């Protein structure tokens, strides 16, 4: 039996207010081809189907459209909820989806046996999946289990451990001798995160030790961490990672899916996900930025998104103006600048620091303070006078508005 592991689709995600709907559509189109080519029997999606608990109508439309595209491939689909998902929203249509061989477990059900999905072939159960969704605080601890911060963390860790142990016992009892796999959506100790992952369970400090998964499950398919990686444990424990980059910190990740073939063992093969767009982070002086932005490579299928950071040694208002002008005048087919900022290695001192050991600020006029700040910079006399004149005009406008 061939089982494909993915996670963290984050349908509806925006990157610096830029919609990633097109990225997800292209991913699903590629995924369908991948499933067909590799003759995949089962698709596991380990949580964070949506980016928001209350997704937009467009995001929901994409979700159901994707399920229908996948359903045409005669592939069993098992989806679990993540910390971004609303359990109630995911669970609402599960009875209908189950008739289409799509098993959705949005939140932890009262009866853990409802998370156990047997996979049959020719009437015989070949593999059983313990599809465990994201475990919330309310699933894991009672109100009476300690009131201190450390008590709460320990109760959460213990709750995760007990849930997986109980799932293993159910599989062992109801399906003796049948290989069992588990799905989970959690933060495992030792995993590497990216900027797009939000804290879970008290700021990720309730990290679960993967060694505590034990040795019963043949493979554990995890979601939540977007960087693909293997976690040290007694059995193969893998994060598939997100299939598309969800932040600029993921721009160098090699996105992948994981394919298990139960005939060959329990170590998955990597299937690289093609890049549909590029995320670029460009930094340097204003001259270096001009050069880099004028020598971009051939564009991808979708517009590549760029973060620009100006890095200069000394603060210079003219450089900020030049940066803004560079961004405004940037036009390159297949590229879009979505964020820019300026960083100065030797930051200008604030007014409070300048006058810390001399006059109180309340005894000085705004013009006095601005003059002192300007004199601390290495501007020529002409530039200083231009800046002071501009400041005076702004100050006059403020006074006029106050007196109006």
């Amino acid at each position: 039996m061939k089982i494909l592991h993915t996670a963290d689709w984050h349908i509806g995600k925006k990157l610096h207010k830029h919609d990633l709907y097109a990225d997800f559509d292209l991913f699903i189109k590629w995924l369908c081809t991948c499933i067909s080519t590799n003759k995949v029997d089962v698709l596991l999606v380990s949580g964070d189907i949506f980016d928001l608990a209350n997704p937009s109508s467009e995001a929901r439309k994409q979700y159901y459209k994707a399920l229908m595209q996948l359903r045409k491939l005669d592939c069993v689909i098992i989806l679990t909820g993540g910390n971004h998902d609303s359990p109630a929203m995911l669970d609402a249509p599960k009875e209908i989806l189950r008739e289409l061989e799509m098993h959705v477990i949005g939140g932890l059900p009262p009866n853990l046996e409802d998370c156990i999905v047997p996979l049959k072939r020719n009437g015989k159960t070949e593999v059983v999946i313990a599809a465990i969704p994201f475990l919330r605080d309310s699933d894991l601890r009672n109100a009476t289990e300690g009131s201190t911060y450390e008590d709460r963390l320990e109760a959460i860790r213990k709750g995760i451990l007990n849930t997986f142990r109980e799932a293993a016992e159910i599989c062992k009892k109801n399906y003796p001798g049948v290989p069992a796999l588990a799905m989970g959506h959690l933060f495992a100790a030792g995993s590497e995160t990216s900027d797009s992952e939000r804290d879970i369970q008290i700021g990720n400090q309730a990290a679960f030790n993967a060694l505590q998964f034990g040795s019963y499950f043949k493979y554990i398919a995890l979601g939540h961490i977007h960087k693909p990686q293997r976690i040290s444990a007694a059995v193969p424990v893998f994060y598939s990672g997100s299939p598309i980059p969800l932040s600029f910190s993921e721009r160098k990740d090699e996105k992948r899916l994981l394919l298990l073939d139960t005939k060959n063992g329990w170590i998955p093969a990597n299937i690289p996900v093609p890049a549909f767009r590029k995320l670029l982070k460009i930094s340097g002086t204003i001259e270096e930025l001009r050069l880099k932005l004028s020598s971009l490579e051939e564009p991808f299928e979708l517009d590549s998104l760029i973060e620009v950071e100006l890095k200069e040694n000394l603060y210079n208002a003219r450089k900020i103006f030049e940066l803004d002008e560079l961004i405004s005048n940037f036009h390159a087919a297949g590229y879009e600048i979505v964020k820019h900022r300026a960083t100065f290695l030797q930051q200008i001192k604030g007014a409070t620091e300048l006058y810390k050991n001399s006059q109180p600020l309340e005894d000085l006029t705004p013009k006095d303070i601005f003059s002192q700040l300007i004199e601390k910079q290495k501007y020529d006399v002409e530039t200083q006078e231009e800046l002071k004149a501009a400041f005076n005009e702004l100050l006059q406008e403020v006074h006029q508005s106050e007196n109006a």
Side-chain angles (χ1 to χ4, degrees), residues 73-345:
L73 304 172
D74 195 28
C75 174
V76 177
I77 302 170
I78 305 175
L79 301 97
T80 56
N83 58 299
H84 286 237
D85 296 313
S86 161
M89 199 220 76
L90 281 182
D91 284 339
K94 70 178 181 180
E95 300 300 333
I96 297 173
L97 294 176
R98 185 179 297 157
E99 295 299 315
L100 301 172
E101 287 198 89
M102 301 180 191
H103 303 269
V104 179
I105 298 93
L108 188 68
N111 185 354
L112 190 58
E113 288 194 15
D114 291 339
C115 290
I116 310 303
V117 182
L119 302 174
K120 297 182 178 182
R121 179 177 285 170
N122 299 323
K124 179 184 176 183
T125 300
E126 289 197 2
V127 177
V128 61
I129 308 290
I132 300 173
F134 174 71
L135 300 171
R136 289 170 165 76
D137 289 10
S138 57
D139 299 324
L140 300 174
R141 63 185 184 87
N142 299 320
T144 57
E145 288 183 316
S147 56
T148 69
Y149 183 73
E150 286 302 322
D151 286 343
R152 291 176 63 200
L153 290 178
E154 185 56 34
I156 288 169
R157 295 188 192 102
K158 186 178 178 181
I160 295 173
L161 172 61
N162 289 340
T163 302
F164 278 88
R165 278 184 177 173
E166 186 182 344
E169 289 300 320
I170 294 171
C171 293
K172 190 183 301 184
K173 176 184 175 182
N174 296 346
Y175 304 95
V178 177
L181 284 67
M183 299 169 69
H185 191 90
L186 51 81
F187 178 69
S191 56
E192 296 180 48
T193 63
S194 71
D195 292 346
S196 58
E197 287 127 10
R198 298 175 193 165
D199 288 348
I200 65 168
Q201 292 166 332
I202 319 180
N204 278 342
Q205 294 187 52
F208 182 74
N209 186 340
L211 293 171
Q212 293 184 303
F213 281 126
S215 59
Y216 181 75
F217 293 114
K218 301 295 185 182
Y219 177 87
I220 298 177
L222 293 182
H224 177 62
I225 304 302
H226 298 169
K227 185 180 178 65
Q229 56 199 284
R230 181 175 185 175
I231 302 299
S232 178
V235 296
V237 178
F238 283 82
Y239 284 103
S240 65
S242 57
I244 59 176
L246 301 171
S247 74
F248 277 83
S249 65
E250 297 175 30
R251 68 190 184 279
K252 295 181 180 179
D253 290 354
E254 295 181 3
K255 298 302 184 181
R256 69 180 186 186
L257 303 184
L258 297 170
L259 179 63
L260 280 168
D261 188 337
T262 59
K263 291 189 300 184
N264 301 329
W266 303 102
I267 301 299
N270 286 340
I271 300 182
V273 179
F276 306 113
R277 74 165 86 237
K278 203 173 182 76
L279 302 184
L280 300 173
K281 200 166 187 177
I282 295 176
S283 62
T285 64
I286 196 71
E287 291 76 18
E288 290 169 339
L289 293 180
R290 286 196 182 98
L291 178 62
K292 291 176 181 179
L293 289 174
S294 64
S295 55
L296 296 169
E297 299 176 357
E298 287 295 315
F300 280 62
E301 189 166 358
L302 299 176
D303 284 358
S304 294
L305 307 180
I306 308 175
E307 271 192 0
V308 174
E309 182 180 14
L310 171 66
K311 285 187 174 181
E312 296 279 359
N313 189 35
L314 297 174
Y315 176 83
N316 189 323
R318 189 179 294 277
K319 296 291 184 183
I320 295 177
F321 173 77
E322 290 179 11
L323 173 64
D324 290 338
E325 195 173 49
L326 177 64
I327 301 303
S328 299
N329 294 330
F330 175 78
H331 301 289
Y335 289 90
E336 180 182 347
I337 297 175
V338 294
K339 183 179 180 182
H340 69 279
R341 65 178 182 273
T343 301
F344 299 97
L345 301 180

Side-chain angles (χ1 to χ4, degrees), residues 6 9 11 21-35 43 62-63 65-70 73 243-244 273 276:
T6 181
W9 286 359
I11 304 173
Y21 290 125
D23 306 63
F24 184 73
D25 280 341
L26 288 172
F27 164 66
I28 290 297
K29 181 180 178 181
W30 172 85
L31 177 61
C32 289
T33 302
C34 175
I35 290 172
L43 175 67
Q62 272 201 307
Y63 169 58
K65 181 182 175 183
L67 291 184
M68 291 303 99
Q69 288 177 273
L70 293 166
L73 304 172
I244 59 176
V273 179
F276 306 113

